[in-house]
Structure formats: C-alpha cells, structure tokens
Amino acid sequence: MASPENEPGLIAEAQVQKLTTTSTEAQSNTPDEPLDGHDCFICEKPATWKSPLGDYWGCEDCRGDLEYNLEYYLTPQPLDPEVEQELTRLRTRDKARRLFNTENRPQVEPPEILTLRELLARPQPEITYRIEGLQPADTRVMFSAQYKAGKTTVRDNVTRALVDGDLFLGKFEVNTVDRVVILDFEMGGNQLAAWLADQGIEADDRVTVIPMRGKASTFDLLDEATLSEWAQRLAKFDYLILDPLRPILDALGLDEHRDGGRFLTAFDELCHEAGIPDSLIIHHMGHTAERARGDSRFRDWPDVEWQLVREDKEDPASPRYIKAYGRDVDFPESLLTYDETTRHLTVAGGNRKDAKAREAIPDILKLLENAEKPMSIRQIVEASGEGLTAPAHSRESIRRALRLRGPDGALNGAVKVTKGPRNATLFELTAPVRGSAPTEPRRSQLSAPVPIGTGALNTRSGEEAGGIDKPDPNQPVLDAFSVTETTDTTGSEEDDYSTPGVLDGDHCSCGAVAWRWADRIPYCRDCGPPTPDEKPPVDVDDKPDPA
C-alpha cells in the first residue's frame, strides 16, 4: 500500500517489482517459510505472514499498517537534484585524488607471509644494539623528560656517541652510524649550533642539523605528498632524532591526548620509506606523573622508553636521574653527573632512594656513637624513626642506608657489622663521630655528582660554579661516601633522653623498659646508670643480647 505522500512513480522500480512478485507468496503460510514461533511486529499476536522487505512478521489485523510503514521507511527516497549533483562532484574528486596518489606513491613490496617454522628455519642473528643496553638496532626510542631537565643535553650526547664512537654517558658501547640528522623544533639555529659545538664532536661532517622552529607545519606527515618529499630529503641518513614532538602536533591541529597515534604511524611510514633504521623522538613529561605526556600511544608505540627526571621536580638545579626500559632493555634509574664546559654527561650510579638513604647516614652514625653497645637494625630504625633530626627519615631510607656497604658503601670503614643472637645483624661504630649531623650535609666532589643545570660544579676543571662548596682537604672524612664532616650543635645529655625504649625487651632493676646499657647492665632514664658497687639484678652475662 503506497502512502499518500509517495506516489507509485517515486518508488524505485526494482522495489516495486519486488513487492509485486512476492506479494502473493507472502500472504500464505508455506512450508518453505514456517511462521511458527514468530509474533506480529506490532501487536505481538501469532504472525500469519512475512513481509518481502525483510524479517518482519505480522498478523492479518496489522498487515495494512505494517506494509505502509515498511514501504515508507525502507523504500529509497529521491534526492534533491542539486544534492545529487554535488554528491557526484565530490565522488569524482575523491576518486581522482586516490588515483593520483596511487600513481605517485612509490612501490612498496607486500610483507612476506611465513609460518613460524619457516621463520625459525632461517639463520637467527644475535640481538645487536645501536647503543649497548639502551637501544637495540632497528628500533624506535621515546625519550621523555620533565621541563628543563636536560633533554637537549642528552640528545647532544647521543649524537656525539653515534658518530665519534664515544661511550654514551661514559658507560654504554655504541655501534656508530654514518649519518645522523636532527630535526629541532624548539631551539633557534645559533643556540643549537653553540650547544653542539660544546660537545666537541670530531666527525661533525656526519651530523646534519635542521632548525625547524617556526616551520613545524611544513612537517605534515599526514599528507602523503609531504611525507614522500621528506622521505626523499632524509633518505641518506641512518639515525633520525626529532626534538620535541609537541610543536608538530600543535601545528597540525592534533590533540596530544587523542591523536598522537596518527602522527606516530605516519612517522613509521616516513622512516620506512626513507630507509632510516633507528630513531629517537623526544617528548615532555606532565607536571605530575613521570611518563610521556598525553596519548597512551606515546608509551606503547616505542620499542624502548628513556626517562630523565630531577630529584626535586621544582628545583632546576636538582640532580638528574636517567632510566630505560623496553624490549631487551632494562636499565635501572641512575644518577648523572654533568660537565659544564663540555656538556658531557656520565652515569654515576645510585638512584633517588639511595640519595634519601645517604641523607640518613649522619644521624645513624650519631646514634651509634651514643649507643653503649651494638644496635640491631630494628633498634636503629625505631630510634631514628622517632626523629633524631627534623624531619625524621623514613624507615625505608634507614634500612636502605644500612645496606649501603661494600667498596662504595656509605658505612664502609665507619661501622663494624657483626652477627648477634637469633641471627640479628648488629652495627657498632668503629671510630667516634665528631659533632652532630649538619642540617644540610656538605657533599664532596666525588660523593655527590653535580646536577645538570644552575649551580653545578665543573668536574673537569675543578672550579666552583653556582656556590657549591669544595670539600676541605684538611678536614678528615668519616667514611668512603664522605657524606658529612659535622660541626658541633647545642645539646645535652638530657636531650638524648627524648627517645625512650631503645632496648625494648630489656628492663631496668625497677622494672621499667631499659634505656641504655652501662657495663652490660640495663638501666632506665629515671634510675640512671648503676654505681660501680651496685649488683646487677640479673645475670646479664647469661642473657642474650637484644636483637
């Protein structure tokens, strides 16, 4: 049944023919189309017929209404002539553009399809590294860092190592490349050249620098023609460094939180078309989380992630730490030292947790100096946790400090470690500590490597910069780390009683929890140490030392 608004002439001829030829068949319940189990589409009564326009069933009472609605909504409606004309024009342009791009796109061989058995039957080369331990060959690195943390400095160190063959960060072997190209979207040309000049790169003819600040829109890799042009320009290079990513996204109108994957996919195509096996993209971290800012694709796209952080996010002169993780790469967080003259970076070892632990060492040493006998880890943690200094050190920092032993350990040479009853580890000072822990420990040139940025010490020339004190060669140091050479602070014996219960489990003759030992006799702060002729209340020689 045709609607009043739609004359039969407006219905598609093929649809009219379908309605005419199938109308008689649809009226009867034939064995080929059983209606058992189907209900009317409108009133949900048992269906007696099926519409030829699809899987729509109806009863005799609703058939007229159902036919009308199905015919009205499912029959193609004619387009306005002007709309039809514009649609045809757009289709023609789109088809022409796709044909044009196909003609100008270089031929790309389709991927080879192999079974795992066929693949494993081929000779399997050993995993080789472009930068040993940090970047395997033929891989992509996403290097993220906090603002003004030293991204450009690390980039320039990478460049020098790639062409000169120097150890990267003074630690990692490098398989050199013939040509490196840097696309810099952040720095001006003159400053860019000056910073690279400080590196002292010998093979500077193998490094190409392209200043792109203010020209990011010309790097529109989402446009196939532009991508092909850049691929031709970069075809002679072996390593591509893009620094940083954000200006490109802004210039192309891409959302950093949603569209990052689109650009990274195009970047992969660029490297493939240009024949560049290795690449490094530099990106910023957010203000809070220590990861690449924005789209999650920035983390799952690279083969390896490098991260550079400051010990104190708000202090530009704070020490820097670098770490790397990815496929066949797992380098833990390590401190970097910086030479202001050459801008060279070196891995010094130790992480931020170690730094916090070293800050607790002066208080641990002072605590051991005041102890009458060796102290266990539990006793040191509980005593230090009460707050010998303000603020108190965390239990984790204290325990980590006590583990810093060995050739580079902070307690090496200052503390004797023995095994006590119940396999307890006991610590005892081997030499007296003069004075008490300073509010700000003074760090020596060897013990506290200089941070990247303002206030650094020129480690190569030995000159002071930024006001950091040199260690006084006439002052003795206590241990291998040389954390402190302390100065006297005001205090009294009474002040030392601010931390009761150091020897939990041992009791004074009065029954109170013991404060200290004197000649192997426990005593509390109220009774004080016993006089020489006082007899101990228990046979302390037979009593095991506290764990």
Side-chain angles (χ1 to χ4, degrees):
M1 179 183 297
S3 66
E5 294 84 6
N6 294 281
E7 297 297 329
L10 298 180
I11 302 177
E13 183 176 351
Q15 190 66 54
V16 173
Q17 183 66 24
K18 182 177 180 181
L19 289 171
T20 304
T21 57
T22 60
S23 176
T24 304
E25 299 175 359
Q27 294 178 12
S28 61
N29 182 12
T30 64
D32 294 335
E33 284 188 326
L35 301 182
D36 293 343
H38 295 288
D39 297 327
C40 175
F41 192 74
I42 296 178
C43 69
E44 298 185 356
K45 293 179 180 179
T48 58
W49 68 279
K50 178 185 176 184
S51 170
L53 298 180
D55 292 336
Y56 302 100
W57 288 266
C59 64
E60 289 299 328
D61 296 337
C62 302
R63 178 172 180 172
D65 293 336
L66 187 58
E67 282 186 332
Y68 170 80
N69 284 283
L70 292 176
E71 183 179 330
Y72 181 79
Y73 288 106
L74 299 182
T75 301
Q77 301 297 314
L79 296 174
D80 184 272
E82 293 183 357
V83 175
E84 183 71 33
Q85 182 180 1
E86 180 66 16
L87 183 61
T88 301
R89 186 180 68 85
L90 292 175
R91 288 171 177 166
T92 303
R93 288 190 59 185
D94 183 66
K95 184 176 181 179
R97 182 180 180 84
R98 284 188 280 110
L99 289 174
F100 177 79
N101 291 337
T102 301
E103 293 173 357
N104 290 274
R105 185 184 300 123
Q107 287 294 112
V108 179
E109 295 184 4
E112 188 177 10
I113 301 177
L114 298 173
T115 66
L116 177 59
R117 178 173 296 179
E118 292 171 335
L119 180 62
L120 296 179
R122 295 182 174 183
Q124 299 296 317
E126 295 183 3
I127 297 175
T128 58
Y129 285 82
R130 179 61 59 204
I131 303 175
E132 190 70 29
L134 290 185
Q135 183 180 10
D138 301 327
T139 58
R140 309 159 298 183
V141 172
M142 177 66 74
F143 174 35
S144 57
Q146 296 163 343
Y147 72 97
K148 301 299 181 287
K151 296 182 296 296
T152 303
T153 303
V154 174
R155 177 204 70 187
D156 295 347
N157 276 258
V158 171
T159 303
R160 172 173 53 83
L162 287 172
V163 295
D164 286 351
D166 296 347
L167 292 177
F168 177 50
L169 303 181
K171 179 179 180 67
F172 303 100
E173 296 281 352
V174 176
N175 290 315
T176 59
V177 297
D178 291 332
R179 300 293 300 273
V180 176
V181 59
I182 301 174
L183 297 177
D184 190 295
F185 293 83
E186 194 169 52
M187 298 177 67
N190 293 335
Q191 188 180 38
L192 179 59
W195 281 39
L196 284 167
D198 289 343
Q199 288 287 327
I201 299 175
E202 296 180 1
D204 52 5
D205 58 329
R206 292 159 55 189
V207 179
T208 299
V209 183
I210 306 178
M212 294 289 293
R213 188 169 72 177
K215 304 175 184 177
S217 60
T218 64
F219 199 67
D220 185 4
L221 300 184
L222 301 183
D223 180 76
E224 294 183 0
T226 303
L227 188 150
S228 296
E229 291 175 2
W230 274 103
Q232 295 175 10
R233 296 189 185 111
L234 303 177
K236 59 184 178 180
F237 297 102
D238 306 298
Y239 198 104
L240 170 59
I241 301 176
L242 189 152
D243 179 24
L245 177 60
R246 179 59 186 263
I248 306 173
L249 301 180
D250 290 342
L252 303 184
L254 299 178
D255 190 320
E256 185 179 58
H257 298 278
R258 293 192 296 269
D259 299 329
R262 294 178 58 197
F263 178 83
L264 295 176
T265 300
F267 183 81
D268 281 341
E269 294 181 11
L270 169 71
C271 293
H272 177 77
E273 189 171 330
I276 302 174
D278 303 304
S279 59
L280 172 69
I281 291 182
I282 300 175
H283 190 40
H284 292 86
M285 287 182 177
H287 293 294
T288 54
E290 293 183 358
R291 63 174 183 81
R293 186 179 61 198
D295 198 331
S296 61
R297 281 285 286 153
F298 295 146
R299 302 206 66 187
D300 59 47
W301 169 81
D303 298 287
V304 181
E305 278 188 286
W306 294 357
Q307 294 181 341
L308 181 69
V309 297
R310 285 192 291 264
E311 184 175 312
D312 182 350
K313 293 187 296 184
E314 303 303 325
D315 182 5
S318 181
R320 270 60 161 178
Y321 297 84
I322 193 169
K323 63 180 177 180
Y325 183 78
R327 301 184 182 102
D328 298 312
V329 171
D330 187 5
F331 178 67
E333 181 179 284
S334 296
L335 180 67
L336 291 176
T337 59
Y338 177 59
D339 187 324
E340 279 194 333
T341 302
T342 63
R343 300 185 187 273
H344 290 186
L345 297 170
T346 305
V347 170
N351 52 38
R352 283 173 288 179
K353 291 183 178 180
D354 289 339
K356 292 293 185 183
R358 294 181 188 278
E359 292 177 1
I361 289 173
D363 293 326
I364 295 175
L365 296 176
K366 184 63 177 177
L367 177 66
L368 294 176
E369 182 187 33
N370 294 332
E372 296 292 339
K373 62 174 298 179
M375 298 181 66
S376 68
I377 294 177
R378 178 182 62 82
Q379 293 167 345
I380 295 174
V381 168
E382 291 180 355
S384 301
E386 293 291 337
L388 295 178
T389 60
H393 305 291
S394 69
R395 289 174 175 262
E396 180 185 0
S397 297
I398 296 169
R399 291 183 180 275
R400 183 177 287 268
L402 295 174
R403 293 196 299 266
L404 292 176
R405 302 194 293 273
D408 299 323
L411 299 178
N412 183 45
V415 173
K416 178 182 178 181
V417 182
T418 59
K419 283 294 182 182
R422 298 189 293 276
N423 204 32
T425 302
L426 303 179
F427 295 81
E428 180 181 9
L429 199 66
T430 59
V433 181
R434 292 173 301 178
S436 59
T439 303
E440 286 292 335
R442 185 176 66 206
R443 299 177 176 177
S444 72
Q445 180 178 342
L446 294 177
S447 62
V450 196
I452 305 172
T454 308
L457 179 67
N458 187 331
T459 58
R460 182 165 293 202
S461 64
E463 298 174 355
E464 288 182 305
I468 293 182
D469 297 334
K470 288 185 179 180
D472 187 348
N474 296 321
Q475 294 292 332
V477 293
L478 182 64
D479 55 84
F481 184 65
S482 306
V483 180
T484 64
E485 180 54 44
T486 60
T487 57
D488 289 332
T489 57
T490 58
S492 64
E493 182 70 11
E494 184 65 23
D495 295 333
D496 290 338
Y497 288 139
S498 60
T499 311
V502 174
L503 303 180
D504 287 347
D506 296 292
H507 296 78
C508 177
S509 59
C510 69
V513 174
W515 166 250
R516 286 184 180 165
W517 290 76
D519 297 326
R520 300 184 61 81
I521 300 175
Y523 65 90
C524 67
R525 58 180 298 176
D526 295 326
C527 296
T531 60
D533 56 345
E534 284 183 302
K535 186 176 180 180
V538 295
D539 188 359
V540 295
D541 291 330
D542 297 333
K543 181 179 176 63
D545 291 342

